[in-house]
Amino acid sequence: MSIYITGDTHGDFLRFNSSNFPKGKKLNKNDYIIILGDFGGIWDYKGISKEEEYWLDWLNEKPWTTLFIDGNHENFDRLNSYPIFNWHGGKVHKIKDNIFHLCRGQIFNIEGLTFLAMGGANSHDIQDGILNPSDYLSKKDFKQAIKKLEQNQKLYRIKGMSWWTEEVPNALEKSNCILNMCKYNKSIDCILTHEAPASINLYVSIFPPTKYSKWLEEEIKTKIEYEQWFFGHYHLNKIIDSHHLCLYNKIMQIK
């Protein structure tokens, strides 16, 4: 049994094809690949497209089982509509037979290792605003607002289409995370997040720590014993130290 971890995929799963990941041909359904957020395979706000369906089927038919936590760039309306199951000690959304979303604040036992999954992150590409279609009197006004932002090369997102308020965990998800940590006497083998805790953020981001990054620092990093903390989000492959690793397109074996 093997476990691999990688970073953001944003709906592009070609890193898992045979030429890029030849080791995958020797894996089976008892082997796992974990994606650290911004999965992106469930994205189109209009519903599943033919392209999305093709790539989800493509990934589902790979020899291994795919697990992922959520990032900030997910369609949470659709993601949270999938059925919830108990799996390896925690709750998951079952996307396909061999694709599972590890829900926030849940702890999983996978072949002798414990994993705390705590997805979500603050978006950095919304500095110039989040458009809400319902704020405009007509589709024409809405399109004109988008055109103006794009002409000025602004960073923006659209509520319910490319941005969702659920990108950051809510109070209940945070409290459930803390409660589950206590059940394990605050000792976990691996922590899986999308955003980094505040003290680690300094090594990977030009942006200051967010409120959520500070929460990860104050409520998890300083209050729990762990062997390794894996995170994505920053589009970097970087070893911070022996306990903290940022992953993007690298596929790293941990067992």
Side-chain angles (χ1 to χ4, degrees), residues 118-134:
M118 195 58 183
N122 289 98
S123 292
H124 293 306
D125 53 2
I126 56 174
Q127 293 97 318
D128 299 306
I130 299 168
L131 299 185
N132 188 344
S134 64

Side-chain angles (χ1 to χ4, degrees), residues 104 118 168-178 215:
R104 294 173 175 175
M118 195 58 183
V168 176
N170 59 36
L172 180 59
E173 290 168 333
K174 290 177 179 177
S175 63
N176 284 337
C177 178
I178 294 171
W215 182 87

